[in-house]
Amino acid sequence: MKRLVLGLMLVSLLAAVPTTMEAKKKKTTRKTVQEQKYDNLSALERKIVGKHMLSLQWISWKYFGSVTIKKEANGTLSCKGQQLAVNCKDADDECKTNGDYVKLDGVIDIVDANHLVFVGEIREKIYHMNNGQEVLREGTFHFDVTGNRKFWRMQEMRNPVDECVDYIDIYFK
C-alpha cells in the first residue's frame, strides 16, 4: 500500500514539473511595452485611455471620427482626434468630404468616471456657420456623462460665434 501511495505521489510530482520546452516558453514570454503600460493604469484610466469615437452633431451621428487618449511618459493623458464630414446620399453614391470638421488637441484630467476636464484647443469648421470659417476654442472644457448616456458630452455647448449649440461627444470604448 505504501508503494502504491508513493508511486502515485511520484507520478503527480512529475506531472507538475514543466517540460524543458514549457519552461523555455515561460521564460521567453514577455509583455510588450504597451501591455506593461496598460498594467500600470488604474481601472478608471483603462476605461478612458485608448481610441474612442468622436462626434459633432453638425457633421454626423452616423459617420464618427475618433479621438485617442494615451498616457504619456510624464503621466499626463494626451487627447487628439478629429471627425471629418462625409456626405453619402445612399449606399451606391460615392462619399465626398465637404470640408467640415471638428478637431481636438490637448490633455485630459480625470475627475471621476463621469467627468473629464479637457485643456487644449478645439477647432471646428461647419459650412453654414461663421461664413464657413474655422472657429477656434482654447482653454478648459468639461465633458460629462449624464443619465444613461454612453459618452462624455462637452458642457460648454454654446458656439462662441453663432447662435447655436454644439454637441461634441466622446464615446466610451
Side-chain angles (χ1 to χ4, degrees), residues 86-129:
V86 176
N87 291 328
C88 295
K89 293 180 183 168
D90 58 48
D92 297 329
D93 208 9
E94 186 177 324
C95 297
K96 298 175 185 153
T97 61
N98 67 3
D100 290 355
Y101 59 81
V102 61
K103 298 178 181 183
L104 280 69
D105 191 2
V107 295
I108 293 276
D109 286 322
I110 302 170
V111 175
D112 59 43
N114 294 324
H115 185 87
L116 306 176
V117 177
F118 173 85
V119 179
E121 62 181 37
I122 300 172
R123 297 173 180 274
E124 69 178 72
K125 185 173 109 30
I126 307 300
Y127 77 94
H128 60 85
M129 296 164 51

Side-chain angles (χ1 to χ4, degrees), residues 44-89:
L44 185 52
E45 285 177 324
R46 281 190 203 113
K47 178 180 179 179
I48 295 166
V49 169
K51 190 172 183 178
H52 301 266
M53 293 186 312
L54 172 70
S55 70
L56 170 61
Q57 91 275 18
W58 304 116
I59 297 175
S60 178
W61 273 322
K62 185 176 180 182
Y63 301 100
F64 294 93
S66 68
V67 65
T68 300
I69 300 171
K70 70 180 191 177
K71 189 162 188 173
E72 300 295 341
N74 65 3
T76 61
L77 297 177
S78 64
C79 177
K80 188 169 186 159
Q82 65 183 8
Q83 180 188 24
L84 304 175
V86 176
N87 291 328
C88 295
K89 293 180 183 168

Side-chain angles (χ1 to χ4, degrees), residues 1-2 6 11 20 29 41 53 61 78-79 81 85-86 93 99 104-105 111 122 139 152 156 161 163-165:
M1 182 70 162
K2 288 182 182 179
L6 287 173
V11 168
T20 308
T29 302
L41 298 176
M53 293 186 312
W61 273 322
S78 64
C79 177
V86 176
D93 208 9
L104 280 69
D105 191 2
V111 175
I122 300 172
W152 296 275
E156 294 76 19
V161 298
E163 291 292 323
C164 64
V165 173

